[in-house]
Amino acid sequence: QVQLVESGGGSVQAGDSLRLSCVASGRSIHNVAMGWFRQAPGKEREFVAAISWSGGRTYYPDSTKGRFTISRDNAKNTLNLEMNSLKAADTAIYYCAARTYYSSNYPEYDDREYDAWGQGTQVTVSS
């Protein structure tokens, strides 16, 4: 079973940037589709970005497209999320997720398809 640990969250001003990282342990993620999700207080979990196991395919919702960039370093078992032009609406707990039971080289936006989750890291954006 893979364990995921996120880091890099914090409190910033609107327009600032943050870089989140997720380190995996317990198994290699080289053939694992991964993604980022977030959840704000009182709201449902929301898809943020996803990446195929090779890193060659990425997928974003309209809310983050053009501002966020997902990337991975399989040699370091690490997933990253570069967040630019942050808005107050981006305030949430951000979670790293992995789909370990099925290997397909396509990004996955449905959180029900992921079976491993990190504990989350808080991102707070002040306007």
Side-chain angles (χ1 to χ4, degrees), residues 107-122:
E108 178 58 63
Y109 66 89
D110 188 343
D111 63 349
R112 295 171 297 179
E113 294 294 321
Y114 289 89
D115 61 317
W117 294 83
Q119 84 291 346
T121 185
Q122 177 71 48

Side-chain angles (χ1 to χ4, degrees), residues 48-68:
V48 173
I51 191 167
S52 61
W53 62 256
S54 69
R57 296 183 176 95
T58 58
Y59 185 64
Y60 305 89
D62 288 344
S63 59
T64 63
K65 191 179 301 182
R67 299 187 300 123
F68 291 11

Side-chain angles (χ1 to χ4, degrees), residues 35-119:
W36 287 96
F37 293 80
R38 66 188 180 188
Q39 188 165 23
K43 294 188 176 181
E44 293 186 355
R45 187 160 55 193
E46 176 188 16
F47 168 62
V48 173
I51 191 167
S52 61
W53 62 256
S54 69
R57 296 183 176 95
T58 58
Y59 185 64
Y60 305 89
D62 288 344
S63 59
T64 63
K65 191 179 301 182
R67 299 187 300 123
F68 291 11
T69 302
I70 188 172
S71 63
R72 64 191 298 161
D73 186 336
N74 288 341
K76 296 182 178 179
N77 248 24
T78 300
L79 178 73
N80 301 301
L81 183 69
E82 188 74 36
M83 306 186 294
N84 297 317
S85 302
L86 282 162
K87 308 174 182 179
D90 295 318
T91 295
I93 299 175
Y94 283 70
Y95 298 92
C96 165
R99 184 178 65 187
T100 67
Y101 63 92
Y102 176 67
S103 181
S104 171
N105 199 21
Y106 286 91
E108 178 58 63
Y109 66 89
D110 188 343
D111 63 349
R112 295 171 297 179
E113 294 294 321
Y114 289 89
D115 61 317
W117 294 83
Q119 84 291 346

